[in-house]
Amino acid sequence: LVDDDLIEENAALIDRTENPSAAGEVFDTLFTKLWHSDESGVSDERGNVQARVFTGWYHISAVLPDGTRIESEAYIPKADRSMRIILQTTAAEAK
C-alpha cells in the first residue's frame, strides 16, 4: 500500500516509485534479520544438532553421511523448554 491508500501516510511500505519506504525498510529488516532463523550445524557423534529458534513454522533439512537428504516441516510452539525434532529416513527415501 502506498501513502495515498492509508490514513497514516508514514505506514506505507512502498513509495510512489514502488521502492521501499522508511517503514518498508524497517519491516524488511525485522523480517529478514530479526524474525528469520537460518541455522546450520554439524551433528555430534549421536546425530544431534542444537539450534535456538522462535515460535513458528520451519523447513528442516539434514544431509546424512551417505549424501541422503532428509527434509521436513515442523511448527515450533511457544515453549519454555527444549524440544527435540527427530528426522528419519523412510524406506522410499533411502533408495
Side-chain angles (χ1 to χ4, degrees):
L1 295 173
V2 295
D3 54 7
D4 291 340
D5 299 329
L6 302 168
I7 294 170
E8 181 58 53
E9 61 186 55
N10 291 334
L13 299 180
I14 57 172
D15 62 22
R16 285 182 180 82
T17 63
E18 298 186 8
N19 290 310
S21 65
E25 292 284 348
V26 170
F27 179 79
D28 187 58
T29 299
L30 287 171
F31 194 85
T32 59
K33 300 215 179 351
L34 183 63
W35 298 333
H36 176 86
S37 296
D38 190 9
E39 297 285 333
S40 63
V42 177
S43 67
D44 62 16
E45 65 280 351
R46 300 182 79 188
N48 296 314
V49 177
Q50 292 185 12
R52 184 178 173 161
V53 297
F54 297 100
T55 298
W57 279 98
Y58 286 86
H59 176 82
I60 303 167
S61 63
V63 179
L64 303 178
D66 68 359
T68 302
R69 182 179 192 89
I70 304 171
E71 298 189 31
S72 184
E73 301 226 347
Y75 179 76
I76 309 299
K78 183 176 182 180
D80 58 355
R81 59 182 173 72
S82 295
M83 295 183 65
R84 180 171 292 163
I85 297 174
I86 299 171
L87 300 178
Q88 292 180 300
T89 59
T90 63
E93 291 174 319
K95 291 181 180 180

